[in-house]
Amino acid sequence: MLRPIRGFVGARIILILIQCVFVLSAVEVAATVHHFTWEVGYMFWAPNCIENPVMAINGRFPGPTIRAKAGDIIHFDLTNKLSTEGVVIHWHGIRQIGTPWADGTASISQCAISPGETFPYRFVVDRPGTYFYHGHFGMQRSAGLYGSLIIDVADGLKEPFHYNGELNLLLSDWWHLSVHKQELGLSATPMRWINEPNSLLINGQGKSNCSIAAATCNFTELQQCAPEVLRVKPKQTYRLRIASTTALASLSVAVANHKLVVVEADGNYVEPFEVDDLYIHSGENYSVLIKTDQDPTKNYWISAGVVGRKNKTSQALTILNYESVHAGKLPDSRPPDTPLWNDTIRMRSFVEQLRGLNNSPLPPPAGAHRHIVLLNTQNLYRGQTKWALNNVSLSLPATPYLGSIRYSLIDAFDANVPLESFPNDYDIMAPAANPNCTVSSGVYWLQINSTVDVILQNANTMSANTSEIHPWHLHGHDFWVLGYGDGKFVDGVGDKNFNLKDPPLRNTAVTFPYGWTALRFVADNPGVWAFHCHIKPHLHMGMGVVFALGVERVQGIPGQALACGLTAKLFMNTKF
Amino acid sequence: MLRPIRGFVGARIILILIQCVFVLSAVEVAATVHHFTWEVGYMFWAPNCIENPVMAINGRFPGPTIRAKAGDIIHFDLTNKLSTEGVVIHWHGIRQIGTPWADGTASISQCAISPGETFPYRFVVDRPGTYFYHGHFGMQRSAGLYGSLIIDVADGLKEPFHYNGELNLLLSDWWHLSVHKQELGLSATPMRWINEPNSLLINGQGKSNCSIAAATCNFTELQQCAPEVLRVKPKQTYRLRIASTTALASLSVAVANHKLVVVEADGNYVEPFEVDDLYIHSGENYSVLIKTDQDPTKNYWISAGVVGRKNKTSQALTILNYESVHAGKLPDSRPPDTPLWNDTIRMRSFVEQLRGLNNSPLPPPAGAHRHIVLLNTQNLYRGQTKWALNNVSLSLPATPYLGSIRYSLIDAFDANVPLESFPNDYDIMAPAANPNCTVSSGVYWLQINSTVDVILQNANTMSANTSEIHPWHLHGHDFWVLGYGDGKFVDGVGDKNFNLKDPPLRNTAVTFPYGWTALRFVADNPGVWAFHCHIKPHLHMGMGVVFALGVERVQGIPGQALACGLTAKLFMNTKF
């Protein structure tokens, strides 16, 4: 049995949302404050019809969909109901301007919340867009700790495109192997890879050993995995909000017989362009418009399939249900094919179509104050497999950087500053002659308000003829994507083709195999910010860097964010 | 292939032990200080020939065997190398006189140690005996976080019995189901029981799908599960130190053809008595003497099998190897049979033979100042299965009691004091008419230096004709076991038969099905102390109480023990 969703504005009704509207006493401010009381715990659940422990918020998987308006204030009181694990939640795409301590990154912005304790996340959602939230401690995102976060335009304002209704697709991948075993295997010597996901999920629902398309799935026993049918009226325009919180998979999303018009990427408007299918990598968010202009007596498949890795996981499927048709009626056409997994040219041509909408902010024309090249390599460290940047693999410290830097606790992390480039003679097309890297918790110190260019330089892994996709995500800022190139970036050549006219602003961008990606951002948000590959096992194996800027200006860090490690020692007036 | 252990004093060589001997500067004190630097982390291991994650200390499972002399000072610097879980270690049987903050009980004596952090356990091992240590947070003991702790008599002193050598048996039970799933199942609605263990382990080694006795096990592939053969010389007396850290199983231990003479229970000497086999429940420790007076051209089975629960788990076996015989030669006789699982009379008659050795401390003759009766029942709370005492199931608070009571943070736990008895008309022989209990973090406040009697009153579970064994363990103190009885304890009748002449001192004692057990202790060690069923899932389901006494006198709590919850808030001079 397929399960239709009710209502027009898409997504599930948020039962637990307690929304209070009040006017702050300050004369000049009138903001809506949303209060959420959340509890994080494990529960048994069958996202792909097979039961396993999943991380849930208030007993729901995925977590509740949050909806607010630009300018609203969000108060999340997050209580850890896990038994022995700490927890944090990162609000992916929210820049946390002025509230870097609310970014929800363990070891970076705060101490993990201990079992039984509550942390007060307080921040402004300053900008409309399609976002999501997720765990950012260990592999907890892979355990299912995520949900959608949708910000509408402020009252009285309009989106720069028209639509009649919304549909929400939160995409993820799912393993039967517990995250604890995944994590242990990734750290083992030799490393044990997690392999390809057992299932792909759309809004937390998938399948593992049956085919919806062939109608061999029986959902009556386990409604938890029954696809969430998306109901539409004919002859309307719908906004599909699509976010990918996959641990590993890059995906291609298509709606059979319907074109997709891309209008938003990571909370920024883009010049609309039409595609048959959307490439989306882990950490990315898009809005696409579809017209329900097809035969209204039929239903249509919506598919998401793996690209970029040799595909061993079945497509996730759900149904676009024209309202006059029974939701359980299967489409009479096949689900859309997933494009060839290794067609990098097609994949890259998709992101190269992304252009900032007219009047979008442009990068500072004077160029960058700082030029950081990050060579992406797979390495070994004492027999463990690592990912490294300029031969340095990130190891997070016990005391979160935001507190240790704010209070000058220089013993809290490595004083050595990581490198800003790699040797000229490094051959990115072959495995490194010496695969060994170093491990460090060192920080890149950025000048406040400086313009920073980052070149992400991809390379061969430790296996010959292999280079992987890495979607890089920046916290606290958006960046302009200035361009992509094949092979090694050459200074004075690669930058000649930078798009300074209408580059898209984003928080996540991909490096393609053996290629480079050029980003620019203005480091104007005081705090300590992760910049990392959004593939969970890659981050676990050290694929990230840390940017610190203007930390001396940061105010209002709540005590809970500092109640661990050396900051606890500093602030607790008792014997350590 | 069987694996002999080298050396005469038994147990493995402690490679990581860095033992420094120095004389403290104070004129009156000359104590040996042992320094240990431990890291706790998961690793893949195959205790029963099947690989699973286990909790290891410095890469070893079980953790290193600790050996010191009475009066020595122990310094453990314990670093948490887990990814997202906190950790603590409890030193089971060490009373922590004057150092209640080093008892290693999360939510009671200290904040759990967060990932990456180090906690300094510092305490005196004041008394010789056979002990062990184990995790005391969530179900981490069941994950393999345990090891032996053996304290010899101080220099110049002698044990009150003679022996030529020692052998060490640390007993445990093992599940293939991860502790995370076990824990989640136990908390689920309805509860999902963990079922019987897949294997029993001796010194961390067992088997699951083969029989050593029938020689069908092939250990060459996985040495991790090869039994640790115990090598002996003929015509000698050996001390077997036997500790049980099982999560669930009560065990019977026997050495084929050899009698056991019991001489020590939980670090206290007992009047020697001879048995064919030893009953040992979770949390208990014994020393037994054996004489190697059998045919020295043969080897002999040592067996441990489940009693008290309908036996679904194979015996754990290893070999007593007379030194002139090849270690791999299997005994030509069968392993000792495990006694009938439900022969409670035989099981009780074993503990009733335990008598304090002549000149052992005796209970205060004046009787008790306080008389607490604890009815042991299985209950429901909002659909969850619980274990309760006088209808109250223990729920541990986020702020450890030792800190919250020491600093009068009365909001940290329930102010309601739990009941000291149960209604007269409660029928212990039948399931309760109303199975519902309450849940509380309330504390029993004991007068310092008062004498306390506790009657553990067993009862029927929620299923008809079922009553289970519960081995109760007291922290911070030993108690005298005054007696056991069948049915309901009747004041003025049951106490008539109390043994006040030579009751054994212990830290763990059993309540038998439908019976009662009477304990007495002098509450003379300031601190907050758990008293609980040592069966891990039972404690997880609330089967414990908390005693607080003289907390205002406690000094020297390290800051790390307070760096969470309301004590962190109190002591951190920054905004919470």
Side-chain angles (χ1 to χ4, degrees):
Chain A
M1 201 181 83
L2 301 177
R3 199 153 57 102
I5 55 166
R6 286 161 303 173
F8 193 60
V9 288
R12 302 179 189 175
I13 295 163
I14 304 163
L15 291 172
I16 58 81
L17 187 150
I18 305 155
Q19 181 174 324
C20 332
V21 180
F22 66 84
V23 179
L24 293 177
S25 56
V27 181
E28 71 280 18
V29 184
T32 300
V33 182
H34 302 262
H35 290 274
F36 300 90
T37 303
W38 278 6
E39 294 185 348
V40 175
Y42 272 103
M43 66 176 182
F44 287 113
W45 199 253
N48 62 346
C49 308
I50 291 177
E51 196 184 69
N52 268 298
V54 305
M55 271 198 167
I57 294 172
N58 293 347
R60 299 177 58 141
F61 167 78
T65 295
I66 299 308
R67 193 132 201 156
K69 286 184 181 149
D72 289 354
I73 296 168
I74 305 279
H75 284 198
F76 285 100
D77 285 318
L78 186 70
T79 298
N80 180 352
K81 289 283 188 181
L82 302 166
S83 170
T84 54
E85 294 184 60
V87 76
V88 294
I89 289 186
H90 168 58
W91 318 93
H92 185 109
I94 307 300
R95 289 167 297 173
Q96 302 291 353
I97 296 168
T99 52
W101 53 266
D103 194 41
T105 45
S107 284
I108 300 173
S109 66
Q110 68 169 110
C111 299
I113 309 162
S114 294
E117 301 208 45
T118 301
F119 188 84
Y121 290 102
R122 306 276 183 266
F123 55 88
V124 175
V125 287
D126 62 310
R127 193 180 50 173
T130 304
Y131 309 104
F132 63 105
Y133 59 85
H134 61 78
H136 214 293
F137 188 31
M139 303 271 287
Q140 293 180 343
R141 172 158 62 92
S142 298
L145 186 54
Y146 45 73
S148 294
L149 173 55
I150 295 171
I151 309 301
D152 291 302
V153 291
D155 283 337
L157 297 179
K158 280 189 176 173
E159 305 276 16
F161 42 82
H162 167 79
Y163 54 100
N164 309 99
E166 275 193 36
L167 303 166
N168 188 41
L169 298 179
L170 178 63
L171 308 175
S172 55
D173 43 11
W174 189 251
W175 279 256
H176 298 154
L177 191 69
S178 77
V179 290
H180 301 100
K181 282 192 179 180
Q182 287 182 40
E183 196 163 30
L184 187 56
L186 293 171
S187 304
T189 307
M191 185 264 280
R192 304 182 186 190
W193 179 238
I194 62 170
N195 298 319
E196 300 304 308
N198 293 97
S199 298
L200 300 177
L201 309 181
I202 296 176
N203 294 337
Q205 295 160 320
K207 61 192 171 53
S208 55
N209 53 4
C210 67
S211 167
I212 308 175
T216 60
C217 293
N218 177 359
F219 296 110
T220 48
E221 292 289 319
L222 281 163
Q223 288 294 325
Q224 293 163 4
C225 60
E228 189 180 89
V229 167
L230 304 177
R231 179 162 289 182
V232 292
K233 293 177 190 293
K235 300 206 182 302
Q236 303 280 310
T237 299
Y238 285 85
R239 178 182 191 167
L240 263 70
R241 296 182 181 268
I242 308 175
S244 174
T245 181
T246 55
L248 176 63
S250 293
L251 300 172
S252 167
V253 178
V255 183
N257 294 42
H258 295 72
K259 298 283 186 187
L260 312 176
V261 177
V262 182
V263 293
E264 181 216 342
D266 299 351
N268 293 287
Y269 300 122
V270 296
E271 200 64 49
F273 65 102
E274 188 179 272
V275 289
D276 290 320
D277 50 82
L278 176 91
Y279 287 103
I280 184 167
H281 306 274
S282 177
E284 292 186 331
N285 299 274
Y286 289 101
S287 285
V288 300
L289 302 179
I290 63 166
K291 287 211 166 79
T292 51
D293 54 5
Q294 296 299 301
D295 180 350
T297 67
K298 293 181 178 172
N299 288 332
Y300 301 89
W301 289 115
I302 299 175
S303 68
V306 177
V307 289
R309 304 182 66 87
K310 205 160 183 178
N311 189 346
K312 291 171 187 159
T313 310
S314 305
Q315 281 183 330
L317 294 176
T318 188
I319 284 171
L320 187 74
N321 168 226
Y322 276 65
E323 64 171 6
S324 61
V325 190
H326 188 274
K329 186 188 171 194
L330 293 184
D332 54 13
S333 56
R334 290 187 346 144
D337 285 332
T338 301
L340 279 179
W341 72 272
N342 56 357
D343 190 348
T344 307
I345 293 169
R346 189 173 187 274
M347 204 184 295
R348 178 171 147 191
S349 95
F350 172 80
V351 286
E352 287 185 330
Q353 290 180 73
L354 291 165
R355 305 282 161 165
L357 189 64
N358 210 4
N359 295 324
S360 292
L362 288 179
H369 302 97
R370 182 91 168 264
H371 187 79
I372 299 172
V373 186
L374 297 175
L375 175 68
N376 293 216
T377 53
Q378 192 185 38
N379 297 79
L380 288 176
Y381 177 74
R382 298 180 180 172
Q384 289 185 311
T385 301
K386 296 284 184 186
W387 289 89
L389 293 316
N390 301 339
N391 219 42
V392 179
S393 184
L394 179 64
S395 160
L396 291 170
T399 309
Y401 294 104
L402 187 64
S404 59
I405 295 174
R406 179 70 182 79
Y407 297 104
S408 306
L409 303 169
I410 56 168
D411 293 337
F413 54 91
D414 289 345
N416 291 326
V417 173
L419 299 172
E420 312 239 334
S421 64
F422 60 95
N424 259 330
D425 60 353
Y426 188 92
D427 180 3
I428 67 153
M429 302 304 289
N434 174 0
N436 295 317
C437 67
T438 61
V439 161
S440 168
S441 57
V443 169
Y444 289 88
W445 303 93
L446 304 184
Q447 186 70 35
I448 187 81
N449 296 322
S450 65
T451 301
V452 180
D453 277 6
V454 176
I455 309 295
L456 293 163
Q457 177 64 62
N458 213 337
N460 204 102
T461 65
M462 289 198 295
S463 311
N465 303 314
T466 310
S467 182
E468 297 192 12
I469 288 173
H470 302 288
W472 278 79
H473 172 63
L474 178 60
H475 291 234
H477 302 79
D478 286 347
F479 49 68
W480 291 275
V481 185
L482 302 184
Y484 302 87
D486 286 328
K488 200 189 280 189
F489 179 84
V490 179
D491 218 17
V493 178
D495 42 358
K496 286 240 158 49
N497 295 319
F498 280 178
N499 173 13
L500 301 171
K501 189 174 137 270
D502 56 3
L505 261 174
R506 306 202 67 172
N507 60 53
T508 305
V510 165
T511 58
F512 295 102
Y514 300 111
W516 55 262
T517 299
L519 315 174
R520 179 171 294 174
F521 68 100
V522 178
D524 57 3
N525 189 12
V528 185
W529 307 105
F531 177 48
H532 61 88
C533 176
H534 208 263
I535 291 177
K536 200 74 217 68
H538 289 187
L539 175 57
H540 183 78
M541 292 189 277
M543 198 167 204
V545 298
V546 173
F547 293 139
L549 53 136
V551 180
E552 68 286 355
R553 306 180 184 196
V554 173
Q555 298 294 333
I557 306 175
Q560 290 100 320
L562 305 170
C564 65
L566 297 184
T567 40
K569 198 166 173 172
L570 175 72
F571 280 107
M572 283 186 70
N573 45 7
T574 185
K575 185 188 101 176
F576 253 81
Chain B
M1 201 182 87
L2 302 175
R3 198 153 58 101
I5 54 165
R6 286 162 303 174
F8 192 61
V9 288
R12 303 178 188 174
I13 295 163
I14 304 161
L15 290 173
I16 57 83
L17 187 150
I18 306 156
Q19 182 174 323
C20 330
V21 180
F22 66 86
V23 178
L24 291 178
S25 56
V27 181
E28 70 280 19
V29 184
T32 301
V33 182
H34 302 262
H35 290 274
F36 300 90
T37 303
W38 277 6
E39 294 185 348
V40 175
Y42 273 104
M43 66 176 183
F44 286 114
W45 199 252
N48 63 346
C49 309
I50 292 176
E51 196 183 70
N52 268 299
V54 305
M55 271 198 169
I57 295 171
N58 293 349
R60 299 176 56 140
F61 167 79
T65 295
I66 298 308
R67 192 134 201 157
K69 286 184 179 149
D72 289 354
I73 297 168
I74 304 278
H75 284 197
F76 285 101
D77 285 319
L78 187 70
T79 298
N80 180 351
K81 289 285 188 181
L82 303 165
S83 171
T84 54
E85 294 184 60
V87 77
V88 293
I89 289 186
H90 168 59
W91 318 94
H92 185 108
I94 307 300
R95 289 167 298 174
Q96 302 291 353
I97 296 168
T99 51
W101 53 265
D103 195 41
T105 46
S107 284
I108 300 173
S109 67
Q110 69 169 111
C111 300
I113 309 163
S114 293
E117 301 208 46
T118 301
F119 187 83
Y121 289 102
R122 306 276 183 267
F123 54 87
V124 175
V125 287
D126 62 310
R127 192 180 49 173
T130 304
Y131 309 105
F132 63 105
Y133 60 85
H134 61 79
H136 213 294
F137 188 32
M139 303 272 287
Q140 292 180 343
R141 172 158 61 92
S142 299
L145 186 54
Y146 45 73
S148 294
L149 174 55
I150 296 171
I151 309 301
D152 290 302
V153 290
D155 284 336
L157 296 179
K158 281 188 174 174
E159 304 276 14
F161 41 83
H162 167 79
Y163 54 100
N164 309 100
E166 276 193 37
L167 304 165
N168 189 41
L169 299 178
L170 179 63
L171 308 175
S172 56
D173 43 11
W174 189 251
W175 279 256
H176 298 152
L177 192 69
S178 77
V179 290
H180 301 100
K181 281 192 178 178
Q182 288 183 39
E183 195 164 30
L184 187 56
L186 292 170
S187 304
T189 308
M191 185 265 281
R192 303 183 187 189
W193 180 238
I194 61 170
N195 298 318
E196 300 305 307
N198 294 96
S199 298
L200 301 177
L201 308 181
I202 297 176
N203 295 338
Q205 294 160 320
K207 60 193 171 53
S208 56
N209 53 5
C210 66
S211 167
I212 307 177
T216 61
C217 291
N218 177 359
F219 294 110
T220 51
E221 292 289 318
L222 281 164
Q223 288 294 325
Q224 294 163 6
C225 60
E228 189 180 270
V229 167
L230 303 178
R231 178 162 289 183
V232 291
K233 292 176 190 295
K235 302 208 181 297
Q236 303 279 310
T237 299
Y238 284 85
R239 178 181 190 167
L240 264 71
R241 295 182 181 270
I242 308 175
S244 174
T245 181
T246 55
L248 176 63
S250 293
L251 300 173
S252 167
V253 178
V255 183
N257 293 42
H258 294 72
K259 297 284 185 185
L260 312 176
V261 176
V262 182
V263 293
E264 181 216 342
D266 300 352
N268 294 286
Y269 300 121
V270 297
E271 200 64 50
F273 64 101
E274 189 179 89
V275 289
D276 290 321
D277 49 82
L278 176 91
Y279 286 103
I280 184 167
H281 306 274
S282 177
E284 293 186 332
N285 299 274
Y286 289 101
S287 284
V288 301
L289 302 180
I290 63 166
K291 286 211 167 80
T292 51
D293 55 6
Q294 296 299 301
D295 180 351
T297 67
K298 293 181 178 172
N299 287 334
Y300 300 88
W301 288 114
I302 299 176
S303 68
V306 177
V307 289
R309 303 182 67 87
K310 204 159 183 178
N311 189 347
K312 290 171 187 158
T313 309
S314 305
Q315 282 184 331
L317 294 176
T318 189
I319 285 173
L320 187 74
N321 167 225
Y322 277 65
E323 64 173 7
S324 60
V325 189
H326 188 275
K329 184 187 173 194
L330 292 184
D332 53 13
S333 56
R334 290 188 347 147
D337 285 332
T338 300
L340 279 179
W341 73 272
N342 55 356
D343 189 348
T344 307
I345 293 169
R346 189 172 187 275
M347 203 183 298
R348 179 172 146 190
S349 95
F350 172 80
V351 287
E352 286 184 331
Q353 291 180 72
L354 291 164
R355 303 283 161 166
L357 188 65
N358 210 3
N359 294 324
S360 293
L362 288 178
H369 302 96
R370 183 90 168 265
H371 188 78
I372 299 172
V373 186
L374 297 175
L375 176 68
N376 293 216
T377 53
Q378 191 185 39
N379 297 80
L380 288 176
Y381 177 75
R382 297 181 181 172
Q384 290 185 310
T385 301
K386 296 284 184 187
W387 289 90
L389 293 315
N390 301 339
N391 220 42
V392 179
S393 185
L394 179 64
S395 161
L396 291 170
T399 308
Y401 293 104
L402 186 65
S404 60
I405 295 174
R406 180 69 183 80
Y407 298 103
S408 306
L409 302 169
I410 56 169
D411 293 337
F413 54 92
D414 289 346
N416 291 326
V417 173
L419 298 173
E420 313 238 334
S421 62
F422 60 94
N424 260 330
D425 60 354
Y426 188 92
D427 180 4
I428 67 152
M429 302 304 290
N434 174 0
N436 294 317
C437 67
T438 61
V439 162
S440 167
S441 57
V443 169
Y444 289 88
W445 303 93
L446 304 184
Q447 186 71 36
I448 187 81
N449 296 322
S450 64
T451 301
V452 180
D453 277 5
V454 176
I455 309 294
L456 293 162
Q457 177 65 61
N458 213 338
N460 204 102
T461 65
M462 289 197 296
S463 311
N465 303 315
T466 310
S467 182
E468 298 192 12
I469 288 174
H470 303 289
W472 278 80
H473 172 63
L474 179 59
H475 291 234
H477 302 78
D478 286 346
F479 47 67
W480 290 274
V481 186
L482 302 184
Y484 303 86
D486 285 328
K488 199 189 283 190
F489 178 84
V490 179
D491 219 15
V493 177
D495 41 359
K496 285 237 159 50
N497 294 320
F498 280 178
N499 173 11
L500 300 172
K501 188 174 138 269
D502 56 5
L505 262 175
R506 307 203 64 172
N507 60 52
T508 304
V510 165
T511 57
F512 295 102
Y514 300 111
W516 55 261
T517 300
L519 315 174
R520 179 171 295 176
F521 68 100
V522 179
D524 57 3
N525 190 12
V528 186
W529 306 106
F531 178 48
H532 61 88
C533 176
H534 209 262
I535 291 177
K536 199 75 216 67
H538 289 186
L539 174 57
H540 184 79
M541 291 189 279
M543 197 165 204
V545 299
V546 173
F547 293 140
L549 54 136
V551 181
E552 68 286 354
R553 307 181 184 196
V554 174
Q555 298 294 333
I557 306 175
Q560 290 99 320
L562 304 169
C564 66
L566 297 183
T567 40
K569 198 166 174 173
L570 174 71
F571 281 107
M572 284 186 69
N573 45 7
T574 184
K575 186 188 103 179
F576 253 81

